[in-house]
Amino acid sequence: MNTETKTVVPVASQITDATLARFAREVAKYPAEQKQSAVMACLAIVQQELGWVSTENEAVIASYLGMPQIAVHEVTTFYNMYNQQPTGKYKLNVCTNLPCQLRDGQKALHHLEKKLGVAMGETTADGLFTLQQCECLGACADAPVMLVNDRTMCSFMDNDKLDQLVDGLRQAEGVASPARAEGQA
């Protein structure tokens, strides 16, 4: 008797058979009755492959793991590492918890808002940068700190270092800084 269930992928979902195979490898790490423990791994897989986690993809994960969709959504919304909408190529998370605020974290966020021409939570028109605030990154002594694309920690981010970071990322993409482009016109 086959006890496996086939996951039905909604039409709006971008979950592929290869993605489901990755889910299966994660689920196999847990006892069958605890397969919900793979929820964060499954969310991370979707995030890696698609750049964000839609409600449709939450539904696929919930179905695959045999848990309520709201339980998956609660995990997605609790952790800021899961994007709930498309983001720019570079996601800049600036820590604004109290220790960082006492060492200019809020000023760093405002500087980036001005430099990028977006408010916190928005993405630049060219799709390169999404600016977000985040909870403690555990590097209070290095404040202000930020995390780029949920992977690279940047410390002591004064205005000059922020400018260098953004200009360097733009240069790597072959995009001129708006200030430089205006000066050349």
Side-chain angles (χ1 to χ4, degrees), residues 35-83:
K35 65 182 182 179
Q36 293 91 352
S37 298
V39 67
M40 290 184 70
C42 292
L43 286 167
I45 289 167
V46 171
Q47 175 91 5
Q48 289 167 359
E49 292 184 4
L50 304 175
W52 67 295
V53 181
S54 67
T55 54
E56 292 82 12
N57 291 333
E58 288 176 345
V60 172
I61 292 169
S63 172
Y64 191 88
L65 298 176
M67 59 193 295
Q69 183 176 349
I70 189 64
V72 175
H73 186 69
E74 288 170 342
V75 175
T76 306
T77 57
F78 181 80
Y79 295 101
N80 70 342
M81 64 189 165
Y82 302 120
N83 304 320

Side-chain angles (χ1 to χ4, degrees), residues 60-128:
V60 172
I61 292 169
S63 172
Y64 191 88
L65 298 176
M67 59 193 295
Q69 183 176 349
I70 189 64
V72 175
H73 186 69
E74 288 170 342
V75 175
T76 306
T77 57
F78 181 80
Y79 295 101
N80 70 342
M81 64 189 165
Y82 302 120
N83 304 320
Q84 297 168 50
Q85 59 190 7
T87 62
K89 183 168 185 176
Y90 300 103
K91 184 170 78 167
L92 308 177
N93 282 321
V94 180
C95 180
T96 55
N97 268 13
L98 186 58
C100 276
Q101 280 194 35
L102 293 173
R103 297 185 65 190
D104 295 332
Q106 197 70 32
K107 288 180 185 176
L109 180 64
H110 293 311
H111 180 77
L112 284 171
E113 285 178 323
K114 184 176 178 184
K115 180 165 184 70
L116 297 172
V118 296
M120 187 273 300
E122 296 179 345
T123 300
T124 57
D126 60 9
L128 275 182

